[in-house]
Amino acid sequence: MSKTTLRFKLLDIFYVVMMIVPIVFGIVLQVLTKPASEGVSITGARIFFTLKMPIQDFPVTESQINSALVLVTLLFFCLYMTHGLTAHIKLRRQHFAELIVEKVDGLVNENMGEYFIGFSPFIIAIMALSALSSLLSLCGLFPPTSDINIVGGWAILVFVIITYYKMKCGLLNYFKGFAEPVALLAPINFISEFATPISMAFRHYGNVLSGTVISVLIGTALGGLSTMLLGWLPGFLADIPFLQVGIPAVLSIYFDVFSGCLQAFIFAMLTMMYVSGAFDIDTYKARKAKKLSKTK
């Protein structure tokens, strides 16, 4: 084996290990810091420590730590997928990487138009970050998408992008949009403008959180039902929650896997819809042509 091949394989192993290490770190941190509880326990993100700030203290929470772990995992996943890419495909992972790029480019082109084709990295980043954040619950970790502060931050970022593209057609055109179709609707349009990030955040957060709550409640109820119906079994068998075996796992497939990935897709679709809908490309081109004509 040549030194180049050995170095390539070692780097591959390093990337794979670094994809796993953040999740393992999160699990260890969860085991070491989470206090013991009895019965049903549904709480928000725990606060690990608080940083003193001049205006307001900054709490570092479980959702922030887990979000950082997800970002590190995604970083090394991208490094692994792009390691060794060549003009002529030599690695099987390159097929998968190119398939992702083609599908996302097609999705963006279909929903936003060719002008926004550069949005593909942003859209796949949103979907990957949201989906993996929701899937952390499979590892027993607090999913950041169950924290309104995390999802609200994403929604505010999308809102800033929406406003930017609205203003690309001119500041006057932006404010005129509040008076359409009639000036009397300006207050409603103004409220609707700022309701966009709120609705995006609460839709995503509410669906993920409700799934987590339902799973915990059903799992706890099955444990109690198992004790009530099978408590007559002899010895240690009476303490085994037989009804908790299998059913919570099936529910987890829906609430944690399917619903989490679905909400990631919906958030990305809403982002594409709002951003492309906020940008009138004909008005923008006319304004740009007018500026060019003045400079000549």
Side-chain angles (χ1 to χ4, degrees):
M1 183 183 293
S2 65
K3 289 185 178 180
T4 304
T5 305
L6 179 60
R7 190 182 301 114
F8 185 89
K9 289 188 175 181
L10 289 175
L11 196 54
D12 265 0
I13 294 171
F14 172 73
Y15 289 150
V16 172
V17 170
M18 290 306 298
M19 279 190 273
I20 301 171
V21 165
I23 308 301
V24 174
F25 173 80
I27 294 172
V28 172
L29 185 65
Q30 174 89 341
V31 172
L32 294 178
T33 61
K34 188 173 182 179
S37 61
E38 295 182 1
V40 181
S41 177
I42 301 174
T43 60
R46 290 176 294 128
I47 299 176
F48 287 117
F49 56 90
T50 302
L51 298 176
K52 296 295 182 181
M53 293 292 181
I55 299 176
Q56 184 177 353
D57 292 343
F58 180 76
V60 177
T61 66
E62 191 175 12
S63 56
Q64 293 168 336
I65 297 296
N66 290 348
S67 289
L69 298 180
V70 169
L71 289 173
V72 173
T73 296
L74 289 175
L75 169 64
F76 283 99
F77 173 77
C78 292
L79 291 174
Y80 173 76
M81 294 299 295
T82 56
H83 183 217
L85 295 186
T86 58
H88 302 287
I89 298 177
K90 296 181 180 180
L91 301 171
R92 280 178 290 183
R93 83 185 74 151
Q94 187 167 342
H95 288 284
F96 184 58
E98 291 185 0
L99 178 64
I100 293 175
V101 172
E102 289 175 4
K103 293 298 182 183
V104 175
D105 281 347
L107 186 68
V108 171
N109 189 40
E110 181 181 348
N111 290 280
M112 301 183 75
E114 192 175 348
Y115 180 85
F116 289 96
I117 196 64
F119 255 71
S120 296
F122 181 70
I123 296 302
I124 188 59
I126 285 179
M127 285 196 284
L129 179 59
S130 176
L132 190 55
S133 295
S134 297
L135 292 175
L136 281 186
S137 58
L138 295 175
C139 302
L141 301 178
F142 181 85
T145 43
S146 291
D147 189 337
I148 187 62
N149 299 290
I150 298 295
V151 185
W154 302 349
I156 291 172
L157 174 61
V158 172
F159 175 70
V160 170
I161 296 173
I162 292 170
T163 305
Y164 167 75
Y165 275 96
K166 281 188 175 181
M167 289 188 173
K168 282 193 76 171
C169 295
L171 192 61
L172 180 61
N173 188 74
Y174 172 72
F175 286 109
K176 279 174 60 180
F178 290 109
E180 294 178 354
V182 291
L184 290 175
L185 294 178
I188 297 176
N189 289 335
F190 183 79
I191 294 172
S192 176
E193 182 80 1
F194 291 95
T196 297
I198 296 173
S199 65
M200 289 183 70
F202 274 93
R203 180 186 290 109
H204 197 311
Y205 154 77
N207 279 283
V208 174
L209 180 62
S210 62
T212 303
V213 172
I214 291 171
S215 296
V216 171
L217 290 177
I218 292 178
T220 304
L222 288 172
L225 186 62
S226 179
T227 301
M228 185 175 63
L229 296 178
L230 304 174
W232 54 268
L233 292 174
F236 70 93
L237 293 176
D239 298 326
I240 299 177
F242 288 101
L243 295 183
Q244 281 187 328
V245 178
I247 298 177
V250 174
L251 291 175
S252 179
I253 291 174
Y254 174 77
F255 289 118
D256 295 330
V257 180
F258 176 75
S259 182
C261 294
L262 179 63
Q263 292 308 315
F265 179 75
I266 291 174
F267 193 90
M269 288 295 293
L270 289 174
T271 299
M272 290 188 285
M273 182 183 72
Y274 285 134
V275 172
S276 60
F279 184 64
D280 188 344
I281 191 167
D282 294 329
T283 303
Y284 173 73
K285 287 182 177 179
R287 185 168 179 266
K288 195 173 181 180
K290 188 176 180 180
K291 281 186 176 181
L292 288 174
S293 62
K294 286 182 179 180
T295 56
K296 290 181 181 180

